[in-house]
Amino acid sequence: MTGRGYSIFDTGIGRCGIAWGPAGIIGVQLPEVREIDTRRRLFQFYPDARELRPPSNVQVAIEGITALLRGAACDFAEVALDMTGIPAFTQRVYAYARAIPRGETRTYAEIASALRASGAVYSVTQAIGRNPFMIIVPCHRVLEAGNYADKISPHGGAISKRRLLSIEGTSPTSSKTLFDVLMPVAPPRAHN
């Protein structure tokens, strides 16, 4: 591969984008509401990439992403990611997340503990929140405490973690209600 390229492709949830460079994939963009918005987002992150036909190793990733978004199992172990400029700790978080099996989830705290950085829950949260390799690094399998499916990275487009998990046949153990959100802020009043 020479230079940076990108491609837009169809999936079961809409038109996704993928960008690559000489060392591997540099980013995956899940669909925005409109394709033009997906293209804009790719341009925002990778302004020097040109729309090209994907090379064979990127095509393998596209086929895997498409399969996963249809609900099929796929293996991204051989997909090369270009992590140039990504801090070492974040790379460790992504490597751990890539090893989370389909149908399972982990919390940010569990990942921090597994990486022997139990005081780094916030750093794990930040790393997952900035994940440019959507689906290949399955950040949707990483949940906040209580297994709540919180927001996804900017590369997630209009798709939620909850939707991605349901496509995989997994669901968080619970979901936040308005009561769950407000309870820590406004405890119940005593009745007289």
Side-chain angles (χ1 to χ4, degrees):
M1 289 187 279
T2 60
R4 287 183 163 192
Y6 78 91
S7 183
I8 302 291
F9 58 97
D10 290 316
T11 71
I13 62 170
R15 304 225 349 120
C16 293
I18 190 165
W20 64 88
I25 292 171
I26 55 176
V28 175
Q29 176 66 46
L30 294 182
E32 296 286 347
V33 175
R34 300 174 312 162
E35 180 182 337
I36 189 70
D37 296 327
T38 303
R39 288 177 179 278
R40 273 191 197 117
R41 179 70 73 160
L42 280 169
F43 180 74
Q44 175 186 353
F45 288 117
Y46 316 108
D48 59 334
R50 298 179 330 168
E51 188 164 12
L52 301 169
R53 183 177 205 177
S56 60
N57 55 341
V58 174
Q59 188 60 42
V60 167
I62 290 171
E63 290 166 6
I65 292 167
T66 302
L68 187 136
L69 294 175
R70 271 194 325 264
C74 60
D75 181 12
F76 294 107
E78 299 302 315
V79 173
L81 302 177
D82 181 350
M83 296 216 194
T84 303
I86 294 178
F89 180 77
T90 301
Q91 290 183 35
R92 290 178 54 213
V93 170
Y94 293 168
Y96 185 90
R98 285 182 88 173
I100 299 171
R102 175 192 162 99
E104 295 184 23
T105 60
R106 301 288 186 277
T107 65
Y108 300 114
E110 288 172 329
I111 292 176
S113 178
L115 297 176
R116 300 194 189 288
S118 58
V121 174
Y122 180 77
S123 297
V124 170
T125 304
Q126 291 299 303
I128 292 294
R130 293 185 180 113
N131 175 21
F133 311 108
M134 300 300 301
I135 307 298
I136 298 169
V137 173
C139 61
H140 59 281
R141 296 178 188 157
V142 182
L143 307 175
E144 64 178 271
N147 287 327
Y148 296 119
D150 53 349
K151 62 186 176 238
I152 205 160
S153 93
H155 297 273
I159 308 304
S160 69
K161 282 187 177 187
R162 183 171 310 283
R163 181 156 181 216
L164 292 174
L165 288 170
S166 71
I167 289 169
E168 289 188 348
T170 307
S171 63
T173 57
S174 57
S175 61
K176 282 187 182 178
T177 65
L178 183 58
F179 180 76
D180 296 324
V181 172
L182 295 178
M183 185 60 187
V185 177
R189 291 185 272 167
H191 294 298
N192 293 337

